[in-house]
Amino acid sequence: MSKRKGKGVSDVSAVKRRSVTADLKHQRPSPSRGAPSSTGDIGLIESITLKNFMCHHWLGPFQFGPNVNFIVGNNGSGKSAILTALIVGLGGKATVTNRGMSLKDFVKTSENTADITVKLRNRGQDAFKRDVYGDCISIEHRISSDGCRTCRLKNKSGQLVSNKKEELTAILDHFNIQLDNPVSILNQEMSKQFLHSKSESDKYKFFMKATLLEQMKRDYIHIKQTKTVTRQQVERQEESLKDLKQEFLQKKERYEKWPSFSEMKVVLENLKKAMAWCLVREKEQLVQQLQEDVEKDANNPKHQDNLQLCQSEVTQVEKMLQCIKSRVDSKRQEQESLSEDNLRLKEQVKVVSKAHKEQELVYFRALNKLKQSEKEQDLLQERINKAKTSVSLDNDVDTEYTKQQKKISSLKEQLAELETKGSKLNQEIKNKHQALFTGREERDKLRLEERNIQVMYESKLRRKNQILASRTNKLKRFGDQVPDLLGSIAEAYATGRFLKRPVGPIGACISLKDPMLAVAVECCLRSFMKAFCCDNYKDEAVLQELMCSYYPKGNRPQLIVSRFSEKVYNIQGRKAHHPEYPSVLDIITATSPVIINCLIDMRAIESILIIKEKDKARRVMQQGRPPKNCREAFTAEGDQVFSNRYYTSDFSMAKYLGGDLETEISMLESDLENHQAQLSRFQLHVTSVTEDIISMENNLNNTIMTLKKTLVSVNQVKASITELETAGEEHIDDISSLEEVAQENRQKIEAEKQTVYEAKTELDKHQRAAEDTESKYSAVRERIDQLSDDMEALKDEQLMLDAECAKHDRTLKILETKLKAHDDNIQAMNIDLAEREEELQEYVAKATEISPERQHVTGSTRSIDTEITRLKKKIKVFESNHGEQEQVVREYAEALTLYREKTNQVRGLQRFIDQLDNIMSDRQNRYKTMRHSLSDVSYTSITF
């Protein structure tokens, strides 16, 4: 009979019960070997009904007889569907049927669910839960299109009994229905395999499985394993028995030490009595001291004397303050009367000042007009004198004028030539400026290209040095400072600065399953190859501090902060799947799950495919719908492919994950030689262009100097022409008309002098009036200022007296408060004294209750309290260690009983294991004998 194995045994008693039960089951006869119940009462399939199963909309119900049943029909009529549904309907897996890999394959196309109903007969003496299910058990399975299934077990009347798989397993075990046994259910594939197999070992395995010998062998192996577990538990019980014995001895020792505890309690009671009378003594001393303090305070007149003295000082200060206030009032009245005069004089000063300024303006206007007339008269007189002198020179004027005109004509021709020369020089300078600008642009371009090549040369030189250094240290591929940085990280972690040690660089922690994809992976990860991972922001701050010593600011590796996990994320629902091409996650391996989780978070490597060929990458990503959960792909050359765009990689060789160092070094050396040759050519070209620019700058400067000299000559010629033309225009004025104008100007000057004199006289008059008014106003202002100063001094004195008066008032209030507080204190002390006396009586009464006779105590309450506390702690420790007497006795008896019971139990288990060894040896011998006999019978049957 086939029995399903259970889980591991939880304790020794469970092992014993199950072993005994298994033994009884093997001893009773099997229903298949002539049990009292009649054949066909239990476990027979009465009917099966299918709905939307495989390609059938509805099949059944098929009714089966109690003996042999034959199902016939054409191909596709549903014979195999009934057998498949029978396996699935009884709880079998899809793979057992050889008709599908998943349950969802059995749901009819365009349908959501499929239903299977199997009815089993349940009659007779060995029926399964007859009172619950009745004569028939209905097993209903529903399979959904997503592969899920639900099972419902119903009784004969159709009521739901259970929907648990364990209940169905129990039913199959009870009816001895074995779905995976080819003798019970032999499908087409198994029969073909059995008939076409030429291997004797395969046929023997089939024989072992069909005769249940294989199941029996597994049962024996399971019993042996259970026996081993039981023996281990017995050994553990023996170890715990030693601890139990030790506990028993400890409780016995506590039981024997109990009598010494009563002596400590007697000492504690005596200390409590002494403590009571000691408190009475302290209270008596306190009452006596309080009485002395009350008498002393009642006879102290200090507070009353201080109050009277302060009252006299307050009266004196108030008199002085009243005198100051009267003086301030008189000053204020005088100031108010002067304020009216001050305002009146201020208005007069404004009026007089305004009149004085207006008259001053009239005077200065007349004076300026006089000076202007005198100046014009002087110029007119000069012209008259010049006209008289030039009369004698009239004969020579014509000859001089002709010479001047010839000279002007010559200078104009010279000016035209100089202007033409200047225009040519300007155009030449403009052309040379343009040529110089073009040359400088060419030089700048050459220098920029030279700088770019120099940068590439230095970059590849550093890369070459890194690769050479990485021959002995792989970490130097990520920077010369990385090994030192990792050493600092290890040292900081050892000193406890990191909560969790940072991981990185990421490129040093990963490796590739296919080295040919190194360029693709580096193009995918890019800057993450040199990044570090931190568990928290505190560790990130410490790592930033360490990096300051190795990297310049702005050029440090990226730091990624994410909580470290010991397991890789579950990405089944969002991983890109393709039957031919792997994802980045599939082709890399990492030293820690932290690296994989970090790349999943930051780069989503589970959704990026690696497709080596460009054409296939375009076809997969862009000529149809991309694979599920795939958002981008990379080719072996590093090209990045999206569903709507394509980016060509600028990487030609892997920098960090490449394996062939010598090839990369040789390529770098070749590139360095090419860059060196290019630098030499560019340097020669730049030198030649620079020399041409210097030559052009010198020519341009010479031309500019020539132009400046030409412009100076032009200005000189123009000045000469202007001077000659001005001299030619001069003519001799009419002397008589000039003398008439001069006479009129002299009369005008005399009138203006009279006007200036009158204006000066009026101005002096206004100035004297302004000075008188200003002196009066100043006198009133000075008196007002003096009164203000006097009032300020009086106010300061008044403020001082106010402050002093307020101070005395506060002092008076304080003294009154102190006097009242003194009286209240005396009253409170009297009340307190009465309370203390009553409290003393209570303490005496309590002490008398504790100890009727007064105890003579020499120590203080603190020392007695310390001793009581010490004894209480000692008693408490004793009680915590030993407990109460009844509890100690009870625990001792329980420990003794438990120790004896466990000892007997371990001995019984050891005897049971020995008996089980004998039974198993006998059963294995019988098993070997039965297997040989069955083999002989089977061989004889097959042979004949």
Side-chain angles (χ1 to χ4, degrees):
M1 151 183 320
S2 173
K3 295 295 176 185
R4 300 179 185 271
K5 295 181 182 179
K7 297 181 179 179
V9 182
S10 59
D11 53 19
V12 177
S13 59
V15 174
K16 183 175 180 180
R17 288 197 301 271
R18 196 168 70 168
S19 301
V20 174
T21 305
D23 188 41
L24 293 175
K25 287 183 179 180
H26 282 290
Q27 289 177 1
R28 71 179 183 183
S30 173
S32 62
R33 299 180 183 178
S37 59
S38 61
T39 304
D41 283 344
I42 61 171
L44 294 181
I45 303 172
E46 291 186 348
S47 67
I48 184 169
T49 305
L50 312 180
K51 181 181 178 181
N52 297 329
F53 188 80
M54 294 178 71
C55 59
H56 304 284
H57 176 68
W58 185 274
L59 282 178
F62 289 95
Q63 301 293 335
F64 297 103
N67 296 313
V68 179
N69 292 271
F70 293 93
I71 302 174
V72 296
N74 297 327
N75 289 338
S77 60
K79 302 186 297 298
S80 299
I82 292 173
L83 182 60
T84 302
L86 183 63
I87 297 173
V88 176
L90 293 176
K93 297 180 180 179
T95 55
V96 178
T97 64
N98 288 325
R99 290 285 180 174
M101 298 302 295
S102 175
L103 292 175
K104 61 183 179 181
D105 298 336
F106 298 134
V107 181
K108 185 181 178 182
T109 306
S110 74
E111 297 293 339
N112 294 327
T113 59
D115 295 326
I116 304 171
T117 303
V118 179
K119 292 186 178 181
L120 300 178
R121 184 173 295 178
N122 188 38
R123 302 174 185 173
Q125 188 178 5
D126 290 336
F128 182 81
K129 296 182 181 180
R130 177 69 179 276
D131 55 340
V132 178
Y133 289 96
D135 294 341
C136 180
I137 299 176
S138 294
I139 304 172
E140 296 182 1
H141 265 83
R142 171 162 289 185
I143 305 171
S144 61
S145 58
D146 58 355
C148 298
R149 68 175 171 183
T150 57
C151 175
R152 294 185 294 177
L153 303 176
K154 296 182 178 181
N155 57 15
K156 182 179 180 181
S157 60
Q159 294 179 351
L160 179 64
V161 177
S162 176
N163 56 3
K164 295 183 179 179
K165 184 180 179 182
E166 291 79 4
E167 184 75 4
L168 177 60
T169 303
I171 292 172
L172 297 179
D173 286 344
H174 186 81
F175 292 158
N176 198 18
I177 298 174
Q178 304 167 12
L179 299 177
D180 56 347
N181 193 338
V183 173
S184 298
I185 300 175
L186 184 64
N187 54 40
Q188 293 180 4
E189 295 297 329
M190 183 63 74
S191 62
K192 290 178 183 178
Q193 181 180 355
F194 175 72
L195 293 174
H196 295 164
S197 176
K198 297 181 181 180
S199 174
E200 298 295 335
S201 61
D202 292 341
K203 292 182 178 180
Y204 182 73
K205 289 178 182 178
F206 184 83
F207 160 74
M208 291 289 290
K209 191 172 184 179
T211 57
L212 299 182
L213 291 176
E214 183 178 354
Q215 178 65 33
M216 193 179 295
K217 181 180 179 181
R218 289 199 298 267
D219 290 343
Y220 281 138
I221 293 172
H222 176 66
I223 293 172
K224 285 184 178 181
Q225 293 175 352
T226 304
K227 187 191 70 173
T228 303
V229 173
T230 306
R231 188 179 295 279
Q232 292 174 356
Q233 290 186 352
V234 170
E235 292 175 356
R236 288 195 293 270
Q237 289 288 343
E238 289 177 350
E239 292 294 329
S240 65
L241 189 61
K242 294 179 182 179
D243 298 335
L244 193 62
K245 183 178 180 180
Q246 184 67 27
E247 183 180 358
F248 161 70
L249 294 176
Q250 291 177 356
K251 291 184 177 180
K252 183 179 179 181
E253 183 180 359
R254 287 168 53 192
Y255 173 75
E256 293 174 352
K257 288 183 178 181
W258 185 260
S260 62
F261 180 65
S262 58
E263 296 178 359
M264 288 189 288
K265 287 189 174 181
V266 174
V267 175
L268 181 61
E269 290 297 328
N270 293 332
L271 287 174
K272 288 181 178 179
K273 293 178 182 180
M275 184 67 177
W277 285 108
C278 185
L279 290 173
V280 170
R281 186 189 64 183
E282 290 184 353
K283 289 293 180 183
E284 290 175 348
Q285 293 175 356
L286 182 61
V287 168
Q288 184 179 359
Q289 181 65 34
L290 194 57
Q291 288 175 349
E292 293 176 358
D293 292 341
V294 170
E295 293 176 357
K296 181 178 179 182
D297 289 343
N299 298 325
N300 187 5
K302 180 181 66 172
H303 296 287
Q304 188 66 32
D305 296 341
N306 290 336
L307 181 61
Q308 293 177 357
L309 179 61
C310 185
Q311 288 176 347
S312 63
E313 291 178 353
V314 169
T315 304
Q316 185 178 359
V317 171
E318 287 178 350
K319 290 180 180 179
M320 294 174 62
L321 185 60
Q322 189 65 30
C323 180
I324 294 294
K325 287 182 178 180
S326 62
R327 292 174 61 188
V328 169
D329 291 337
S330 62
K331 296 283 186 183
R332 184 180 292 110
Q333 291 175 0
E334 184 180 357
Q335 188 179 27
E336 290 176 356
S337 62
L338 290 175
S339 296
E340 296 176 359
D341 297 339
N342 180 54
L343 292 174
R344 181 176 52 79
L345 291 172
K346 185 176 181 180
E347 293 296 328
Q348 290 181 1
V349 168
K350 288 181 179 180
V351 173
V352 172
S353 297
K354 183 178 180 182
H356 177 264
K357 289 180 180 179
E358 290 175 354
Q359 185 62 34
E360 189 178 27
L361 182 61
V362 171
Y363 168 73
F364 283 114
R365 284 177 180 174
L367 183 62
N368 289 332
K369 190 174 182 180
L370 175 63
K371 290 180 179 180
Q372 184 68 27
S373 298
E374 290 177 347
K375 186 175 181 181
E376 290 177 358
Q377 181 66 22
D378 293 338
L379 292 174
L380 187 59
Q381 187 65 37
E382 184 179 354
R383 289 178 65 186
I384 292 171
N385 295 333
K386 187 175 180 181
K388 290 180 179 180
T389 305
S390 62
V391 170
S392 60
L393 300 176
D394 286 338
N395 297 327
D396 299 329
V397 170
D398 294 335
T399 304
E400 186 69 24
Y401 181 76
T402 303
K403 290 180 180 180
Q404 287 178 355
Q405 292 298 320
K406 290 180 180 180
K407 190 173 182 180
I408 288 171
S409 177
S410 174
L411 289 174
K412 285 183 177 180
E413 292 176 357
Q414 185 180 355
L415 178 62
E417 292 177 358
L418 290 174
E419 288 178 347
T420 303
K421 183 179 179 181
S423 300
K424 291 181 179 179
L425 289 175
N426 278 325
Q427 185 63 36
E428 185 179 353
I429 289 171
K430 185 177 180 181
N431 295 334
K432 289 183 178 180
H433 267 298
Q434 184 64 32
L436 182 61
F437 179 74
T438 304
R440 286 174 178 173
E441 278 189 341
E442 183 180 1
R443 183 185 63 182
D444 293 339
K445 290 180 180 179
L446 291 173
R447 285 179 176 176
L448 180 60
E449 293 180 2
E450 179 187 2
R451 192 179 303 111
N452 292 334
I453 295 174
Q454 182 69 30
V455 170
M456 294 173 62
Y457 177 81
E458 293 174 355
S459 175
K460 292 190 176 182
L461 182 61
R462 286 195 302 271
R463 180 61 185 167
K464 177 185 174 183
N465 295 332
Q466 286 181 356
I467 295 175
L468 291 175
S470 66
R471 286 176 173 175
T472 57
N473 191 344
K474 183 181 177 182
L475 293 173
K476 289 194 174 181
R477 285 192 177 190
F478 303 89
D480 296 335
Q481 63 274 50
V482 170
D484 297 333
L485 175 60
L486 293 180
S488 300
I489 292 174
E491 183 179 353
Y493 178 72
T495 56
R497 296 183 64 188
F498 288 109
L499 299 179
K500 289 188 180 180
R501 182 172 180 173
V503 181
I506 290 178
C509 300
I510 63 175
S511 58
L512 301 180
K513 297 178 182 178
D514 186 359
M516 300 296 293
L517 302 176
V519 175
V521 173
E522 287 193 16
C523 289
C524 174
L525 301 183
R526 290 189 177 271
S527 62
F528 293 115
M529 295 292 295
K530 300 173 71 174
F532 284 77
C533 301
C534 296
D535 177 70
N536 52 78
Y537 288 102
K538 179 180 180 298
D539 291 349
E540 182 203 18
V542 176
L543 185 55
Q544 288 277 18
E545 181 182 351
L546 294 177
M547 284 185 175
C548 292
S549 305
Y550 300 98
Y551 294 97
K553 189 174 182 181
N555 195 26
R556 298 173 188 168
Q558 184 177 359
L559 300 184
I560 303 169
V561 180
S562 179
R563 183 67 62 186
F564 286 1
S565 175
E566 299 298 331
K567 296 181 180 179
V568 179
Y569 294 154
N570 183 8
I571 43 89
Q572 292 300 322
R574 49 194 175 94
K575 186 175 183 292
H577 294 282
H578 195 279
E580 298 182 20
Y581 309 115
S583 65
V584 178
L585 177 62
D586 295 331
I587 66 171
I588 67 173
T589 56
T591 58
S592 171
V594 173
I595 299 298
I596 299 297
N597 292 339
C598 177
L599 293 178
I600 290 174
D601 288 336
M602 303 302 295
R603 194 62 183 91
I605 58 175
E606 77 281 2
S607 61
I608 303 174
L609 293 179
I610 300 296
I611 305 174
K612 292 184 179 181
E613 294 82 2
K614 296 181 180 180
D615 297 337
K616 293 182 179 179
R618 289 182 182 273
R619 184 172 64 253
V620 171
M621 296 297 296
Q622 297 180 350
Q623 295 182 4
R625 187 174 182 181
K628 183 179 180 181
N629 296 330
C630 178
R631 61 185 184 86
E632 59 181 301
F634 282 88
T635 66
E637 297 177 358
D639 296 349
Q640 190 175 13
V641 188
F642 291 92
S643 59
N644 56 355
R645 56 193 186 279
Y646 188 98
Y647 297 107
T648 303
S649 172
D650 53 354
F651 284 19
S652 60
M653 182 175 291
K655 295 177 61 178
Y656 306 107
L657 302 176
D660 192 357
L661 298 180
E662 300 302 326
T663 302
E664 187 172 357
I665 290 173
S666 62
M667 292 180 65
L668 288 172
E669 289 177 348
S670 176
D671 291 342
L672 288 173
E673 291 177 358
N674 293 334
H675 290 328
Q676 188 66 41
Q678 290 179 1
L679 284 174
S680 300
R681 291 196 300 272
F682 274 110
Q683 288 172 355
L684 291 174
H685 197 176
V686 168
T687 302
S688 175
V689 172
T690 303
E691 291 176 354
D692 294 340
I693 290 172
I694 293 173
S695 176
M696 286 188 290
E697 287 177 348
N698 293 332
N699 293 333
L700 178 61
N701 292 331
N702 294 332
T703 305
I704 291 172
M705 292 300 296
T706 304
L707 177 61
K708 288 181 179 180
K709 292 178 181 178
T710 302
L711 292 176
V712 170
S713 300
V714 168
N715 292 332
Q716 291 176 353
V717 171
K718 286 182 177 181
S720 299
I721 292 172
T722 302
E723 184 178 358
L724 292 173
E725 289 178 348
T726 303
E729 291 177 355
E730 291 183 353
H731 59 280
I732 301 174
D733 297 328
D734 189 4
I735 298 174
S736 61
S737 61
L738 290 175
E739 288 180 349
E740 292 178 358
V741 173
Q743 183 62 29
E744 292 176 358
N745 284 342
R746 282 193 290 270
Q747 294 176 358
K748 184 178 178 181
I749 288 171
E750 291 296 330
E752 288 177 352
K753 285 182 179 180
Q754 182 63 31
T755 304
V756 169
Y757 175 75
E758 293 175 354
K760 177 65 174 173
T761 304
E762 188 68 22
L763 177 63
D764 294 339
K765 181 179 178 183
H766 282 288
Q767 185 175 0
R768 286 193 296 271
E771 289 175 355
D772 293 338
T773 307
E774 184 67 30
S775 62
K776 292 178 181 179
Y777 175 71
S778 298
V780 173
R781 184 72 247 173
E782 288 176 359
R783 179 57 183 168
I784 291 174
D785 293 339
Q786 184 179 0
L787 290 174
S788 298
D789 294 338
D790 295 340
M791 288 176 64
E792 288 295 328
L794 291 174
K795 286 181 180 179
D796 292 338
E797 189 176 354
Q798 182 182 356
L799 289 174
M800 292 174 62
L801 291 175
D802 286 335
E804 187 176 356
C805 185
K807 180 180 177 182
H808 285 303
D809 288 338
R810 289 193 299 271
T811 305
L812 183 61
K813 290 180 180 179
I814 292 171
L815 292 176
E816 289 175 350
T817 304
K818 286 184 177 180
L819 180 60
K820 187 176 182 302
H822 178 67
D823 295 338
D824 294 341
N825 186 32
I826 293 173
Q827 186 177 358
M829 290 173 68
N830 288 324
I831 295 172
D832 189 22
L833 178 60
E835 292 177 354
R836 296 291 183 180
E837 288 176 349
E838 291 178 0
E839 187 177 354
L840 175 61
Q841 296 301 323
E842 292 177 359
Y843 270 80
V844 170
K846 290 180 181 179
T848 305
E849 291 177 1
I850 296 172
S851 175
E853 294 183 2
R854 180 159 185 154
Q855 300 286 329
H856 179 68
V857 184
T858 57
S860 63
T861 55
R862 178 176 295 181
S863 61
I864 297 174
D865 184 62
T866 303
E867 185 65 21
I868 289 173
T869 304
R870 186 183 66 80
L871 274 177
K872 284 183 177 180
K873 288 182 180 179
K874 189 173 181 182
I875 292 171
K876 186 175 181 181
V877 170
F878 188 87
E879 288 179 346
S880 63
N881 293 334
H882 299 81
E884 297 180 358
Q885 186 173 6
E886 294 179 359
Q887 183 182 358
V888 170
V889 174
R890 184 175 65 255
E891 290 179 354
Y892 171 66
E894 290 175 354
L896 179 60
T897 304
L898 182 61
Y899 175 66
R900 289 176 179 174
E901 288 178 357
K902 288 293 182 180
T903 304
N904 295 331
Q905 186 179 2
V906 170
R907 291 174 183 173
L909 288 173
Q910 289 176 345
R911 287 195 298 269
F912 168 74
I913 292 173
D914 295 336
Q915 185 180 1
L916 185 62
D917 287 338
N918 297 330
I919 294 173
M920 286 301 300
S921 298
D922 182 61
R923 288 300 181 94
Q924 284 183 337
N925 292 331
R926 293 183 183 182
Y927 165 75
K928 292 178 182 178
T929 303
M930 183 175 64
R931 189 176 66 180
H932 287 308
S933 63
L934 288 174
S935 300
D936 295 338
V937 172
S938 300
Y939 177 76
T940 304
S941 300
I942 294 171
T943 303
F944 297 101

